[in-house]
Amino acid sequence: QVQLVESGGGLVQAGGSLRLSCVVSGSIFSINAMAWYRQSPEKQRELVAGITSGGTTNYADSVKGRFTISRDNAKNTVYLQMNSLKPEDTAVYYCNANLRAWDSSSWSPGPEFETWGQGTQVTVSS
């Protein structure tokens, strides 16, 4: 059983900062790409930032220069540092990971699959 648990969301004024964390736990064999997505009532879920296992990153144009994604492979954790927040950043932020877990029945790594966290609310007031 693999779980992704996000934390760090909250209410902040425009111009402020927040740091989101997402810890992956369970019988993990390997974690490949990780990412942060967000969804607001007015929009479909959108990619905010992604990071490969090697550390290559990509960002949505709307957050470039303000947000930074990073990961600590030893801790199975991905972070999203959000600076200069704007009201339009208000959304539920979801952690996403592509990973392989141990198959306890065969004692071997299973196939890669995609999984999501439960989401954390970020609200930016003007």
Side-chain angles (χ1 to χ4, degrees):
Q1 191 79 2
V2 174
Q3 277 191 314
L4 275 64
V5 179
E6 300 107 331
S7 61
L11 173 64
V12 64
Q13 288 188 331
S17 299
L18 284 174
R19 188 192 195 208
L20 305 183
S21 300
C22 171
V23 180
V24 185
S25 63
S27 301
I28 302 161
F29 173 74
S30 64
I31 303 175
N32 195 357
M34 304 183 79
W36 288 96
Y37 286 74
R38 67 186 181 188
Q39 186 169 19
S40 62
E42 304 80 23
K43 297 181 181 180
Q44 291 184 331
R45 189 173 296 191
E46 62 175 354
L47 175 67
V48 176
I51 185 168
T52 67
S53 57
T56 300
T57 59
N58 65 288
Y59 296 92
D61 288 342
S62 59
V63 306
K64 281 181 182 176
R66 300 188 297 122
F67 291 9
T68 302
I69 189 171
S70 62
R71 63 191 286 172
D72 185 333
N73 292 328
K75 296 182 179 180
N76 292 334
T77 301
V78 63
Y79 305 97
L80 186 67
Q81 178 66 44
M82 305 185 293
N83 299 328
S84 302
L85 282 161
K86 304 175 181 179
E88 50 263 44
D89 295 318
T90 295
V92 178
Y93 284 70
Y94 296 92
C95 177
N96 170 280
N98 289 274
L99 56 88
R100 299 178 70 187
W102 284 105
D103 182 339
S104 59
S105 64
S106 62
W107 290 102
S108 64
E112 184 169 302
F113 64 97
E114 181 182 41
T115 189
W116 296 83
Q118 81 287 352
T120 185
Q121 177 70 45
V122 171
T123 303
V124 184
S125 63
S126 57

